[in-house]
Amino acid sequence: MSHYIGVEQGVRLYVEDVGTGVPVIFLHGWPVNHKMFEYQFLELPRLGYRCIGIDLRGFGKSDAPWDGYNYCRLADDVKAVIDHLGISGAALVGFSLGGAVAVRYMARHRGQGIAKLLLIGAAAPSFVRREDFPFGTPPEKVDDMILQAYTDRPSLVMQFGKKFTAKKPSAGMAAWMQSLGFNASAVGTYKALESLRTENLGEDLPLIHVPTAVFGGVQDEICPFELAEETHRSIPGSTLHRFEESGHALLFDEPQLFSERLTAFLADTLIVPEPIVVEPEQTAIL
């Protein structure tokens, strides 16, 4: 089943709703859409889960207004969907930009309707490096990406796609992933980049108080593993799970392991890993 759900006057989000049972809400990364989770949408309904994939505004089949790409508005959009569908007791799964939006949702709306949280390669606490945060992407590199979004968006999407995984995908898989990025609107592509450059979730993370797992690819070149470590430190009681052979899109690099850990997380059987000890000089001040 698919829905077009109004989130504010003149703006509708496209929502894919498959299966019955415990709801699992998926928030995609930049610049793709909910279809990046198509394998989970094939697997989880057979296990008794209801998969709900939201195309963020400006991406996939959702409307692409000129404004509203800051994290607060994107989180409010998620709330509008949750309210419209009457969702409670859900697992919220956020990847990359979607992970950042999930964090803001949990802090801004006190986790309404959400029983547990899974962050995958999340753009948190900050996508870019700052004076007090030495990890992530240099801000000037994001500036270059924003400029390229104006001048040659297809090339930007193709170059970004090459860093999406650590393992070289098949030609068909690479073309499919690029197509998801090509389907994004121009305004959504560049305005979401502006939010990734400016937003900071350092104060949001400690406000999360549901069971939370953080999945990170050790070889991630987009949201380095240090971001996952910092996110884990900042969320009370969270667990951190390493994907040694994965880049950013660990669900494609290590699909079997990802599937096993995802289903274990949903079933409350995910094994808590041994604590990761980090030397004091590696710890950033948030």
Side-chain angles (χ1 to χ4, degrees):
M1 180 185 298
S2 60
H3 310 271
Y4 274 100
I5 296 174
V7 294
E8 64 178 354
Q9 186 173 1
V11 181
R12 302 174 307 157
L13 297 192
Y14 179 80
V15 179
E16 194 76 19
D17 192 346
V18 179
T20 58
V22 177
V24 185
I25 303 169
F26 291 90
L27 303 180
H28 62 83
W30 178 95
V32 293
N33 55 64
H34 84 279
K35 288 185 177 295
M36 71 169 291
F37 299 108
E38 72 169 41
Y39 297 110
Q40 286 68 52
F41 273 63
L42 289 174
E43 178 183 21
L44 293 180
R46 294 190 291 108
L47 300 177
Y49 294 98
R50 176 187 178 189
C51 291
I52 300 167
I54 303 174
D55 284 352
L56 300 176
R57 63 170 64 201
F59 298 91
K61 296 181 180 179
S62 289
D63 290 341
W66 181 252
D67 293 312
Y69 297 91
N70 60 77
Y71 288 178
C72 286
R73 179 64 253 184
L74 294 174
D76 291 350
D77 288 351
V78 173
K79 183 176 184 297
V81 171
I82 288 175
D83 289 347
H84 180 88
L85 297 179
I87 293 171
S88 62
L92 180 59
V93 179
F95 171 78
S96 196
L97 169 64
V101 175
V103 169
R104 178 56 52 84
Y105 176 83
M106 297 301 293
R108 182 173 173 85
H109 297 294
R110 300 181 181 180
Q112 177 181 319
I114 305 302
K116 59 178 64 176
L117 174 67
L118 174 58
L119 301 174
I120 308 165
S126 172
F127 181 66
V128 299
R129 299 174 188 173
R130 303 177 185 278
E131 288 185 2
D132 58 351
F133 190 78
F135 312 117
T137 301
E140 57 271 18
K141 186 172 182 179
V142 182
D143 291 339
D144 292 340
M145 293 172 68
I146 292 172
L147 178 61
Q148 195 171 8
Y150 274 99
T151 58
D152 192 346
R153 185 171 64 91
S155 179
L156 170 64
V157 171
M158 292 180 67
Q159 291 174 20
F160 186 80
K162 293 178 180 178
K163 296 182 178 180
F164 213 50
T165 57
K167 300 175 182 177
K168 186 176 181 179
S170 67
M173 177 64 80
W176 174 70
M177 288 192 291
Q178 287 178 5
S179 73
L180 300 184
F182 291 156
N183 284 335
S185 69
V187 63
T189 298
Y190 95 82
K191 287 211 167 186
L193 278 174
E194 289 183 333
S195 294
L196 283 165
R197 180 187 59 188
T198 59
E199 299 263 13
N200 190 339
L201 296 164
E203 296 183 358
D204 297 65
L205 293 170
L207 302 178
I208 297 172
H209 295 290
V210 299
T212 301
V214 180
F215 288 5
V218 174
Q219 302 178 48
D220 194 336
E221 296 183 11
I222 295 172
C223 292
F225 189 71
E226 289 86 354
L227 269 64
E229 292 179 317
E230 293 299 321
T231 296
H232 161 57
R233 289 191 191 94
S234 300
I235 299 178
S238 65
T239 60
L240 175 62
H241 302 264
R242 298 168 64 97
F243 286 72
E244 298 289 346
E245 300 178 13
S246 289
H248 190 49
L250 47 88
L251 65 169
F252 299 128
D253 273 326
E254 297 182 83
Q256 184 61 39
L257 180 60
F258 175 79
S259 178
E260 291 171 358
R261 290 186 177 178
L262 171 61
T263 53
F265 170 75
L266 295 175
D268 293 321
T269 59
L270 187 61
I271 297 174
V272 177
E274 291 295 324
I276 297 174
V277 179
V278 180
E279 297 300 324
E281 61 267 24
Q282 293 178 290
T283 303
I285 301 173
L286 296 183

